[in-house]
Amino acid sequence: METIRFHGRVIPETMQVSIGFSPLIRWKAEEIGVEMEFVCRIEKSKIEVECRAVKWRPEHFAEVYRRALDICRAKVDLVAFKLGWGLTVIFDTYVVPAGETVPIIHTMHELDGICTAYSLDCHFDEVCAQVLQRPLLFMALRELISAISLPHVSPVECARAMDRLKHLIARPGSTDKSAWHQMREALHVEEAYLRFITDHSANPRHGQPGHTSGAVTTEVTRRAWVVMNRYLEYLRRGALELDPIAFPLIAS
């Protein structure tokens, strides 16, 4: 058996959470066909999750990370529920069987280059000022960042962000159907393109069991990023319908 260890924190760390109960949890990752054992230890808000598997492969990281975080969060959430505390779990690093400590950084290379509405040294101040005036918009941005930061939430967070953009664009008092239509017209986005995002959120949003594949989750997130960028381009141009030549229809 090979061992991978995740290290992290319960925040705010000033709460000093300790949980003595550390059962052995067995889990089989059906998608990759690997069986694993987990033990989660939390002492004074410091976390160590030990994962043992017959063979460790770097490509298994995403599945192992998700399960380790789920187990740890479940334990901490029970404490938070009992005491009424707002607690969050963060993993900072993991240690591979060879002993190397690796930082955990949440990135998706599929999203690189999608944002054209601004750069960090051009139009950033302009866009930032617009965002800060619109709570629905900065909440939608946070939801998209959560989609690449926390396992299992991507479809729901991306769909919720699209709902917020719809309300930002639509005329007050519009029906839901009309609001979606106004959004598609303003940003030049095909209905099927948006429905891919919203339809894949339906089951998890309604508490339905089921598994969403990594490929689908990645595509949902990528599409939500594209639509958000279109909205920021629209905002920079005075909240007017985008030029169809410069911004042609986004189709599935």
Side-chain angles (χ1 to χ4, degrees), residues 8 64-66 72 74 87 92 97 103 151 158 162 175 177 181 185 188 199 206 215 241 252:
V64 177
Y65 170 82
R66 281 202 270 283
C72 188
L87 301 175
D92 297 307
C158 288
M162 297 302 97
T175 64
K177 183 177 180 180
H181 177 75
E185 290 290 305
H188 301 156
D199 286 357
H206 294 295
E241 181 180 341
S252 296

Side-chain angles (χ1 to χ4, degrees), residues 32-241:
I32 58 177
V34 175
E35 294 187 14
M36 301 175 186
E37 297 177 347
F38 294 85
V39 176
C40 173
R41 303 179 183 91
I42 303 172
E43 180 67 28
K44 294 183 179 178
S45 291
K46 302 298 183 185
I47 298 168
E48 180 184 76
V49 181
E50 183 179 299
C51 169
R52 295 190 290 270
V54 173
K55 180 66 177 177
W56 161 252
R57 292 189 177 91
E59 58 267 29
H60 296 164
F61 172 80
E63 289 296 321
V64 177
Y65 170 82
R66 281 202 270 283
R67 189 56 176 169
L69 186 60
D70 281 348
I71 291 168
C72 188
R73 286 171 64 188
K75 293 178 69 172
V76 171
D77 286 349
L78 278 171
V79 173
F81 182 77
K82 172 61 180 176
L83 301 176
W85 290 357
L87 301 175
T88 301
V89 168
I90 290 178
F91 287 176
D92 297 307
T93 61
Y94 68 102
V95 182
V96 298
E100 179 189 2
T101 298
V102 183
I104 295 174
I105 303 171
H106 300 286
T107 61
M108 281 184 65
H109 69 271
E110 294 88 353
L111 307 178
D112 185 32
I114 288 177
C115 179
T116 61
Y118 64 93
S119 67
L120 298 184
D121 54 10
C122 183
H123 298 304
F124 179 84
D125 293 355
E126 174 189 348
V127 172
C128 187
Q130 295 277 10
V131 170
L132 294 177
Q133 296 173 49
R134 294 168 171 80
L136 281 180
L137 180 51
F138 59 69
M139 291 166 73
L141 280 168
R142 170 40 40 194
E143 283 153 356
L144 293 190
I145 304 310
S146 294
I148 63 171
S149 305
L150 296 172
H152 310 321
V153 305
S154 297
V156 172
E157 295 286 56
C158 288
R160 188 179 291 121
M162 297 302 97
D163 260 319
R164 295 193 195 279
L165 297 188
K166 171 193 68 179
H167 292 303
L168 283 163
I169 291 172
R171 293 182 294 274
S174 298
T175 64
D176 199 54
K177 183 177 180 180
S178 174
W180 282 116
H181 177 75
Q182 292 172 61
M183 176 181 175
R184 295 195 302 271
E185 290 290 305
L187 304 184
H188 301 156
V189 182
E190 191 180 63
E191 181 177 6
Y193 192 90
L194 283 171
R195 287 187 67 86
F196 188 91
I197 301 171
T198 56
D199 286 357
H200 280 101
S201 78
N203 282 346
R205 187 159 33 91
H206 294 295
Q208 298 275 352
H211 173 73
T212 303
S213 72
V216 168
T217 296
T218 297
E219 180 61 12
V220 164
T221 306
R222 189 192 67 80
R223 291 189 185 207
W225 231 262
V226 168
V227 176
M228 173 60 81
N229 182 64
R230 275 284 172 102
Y231 177 76
L232 295 175
E233 294 277 17
Y234 159 89
L235 204 57
R236 275 192 52 224
R237 288 158 176 78
L240 298 173
E241 181 180 341

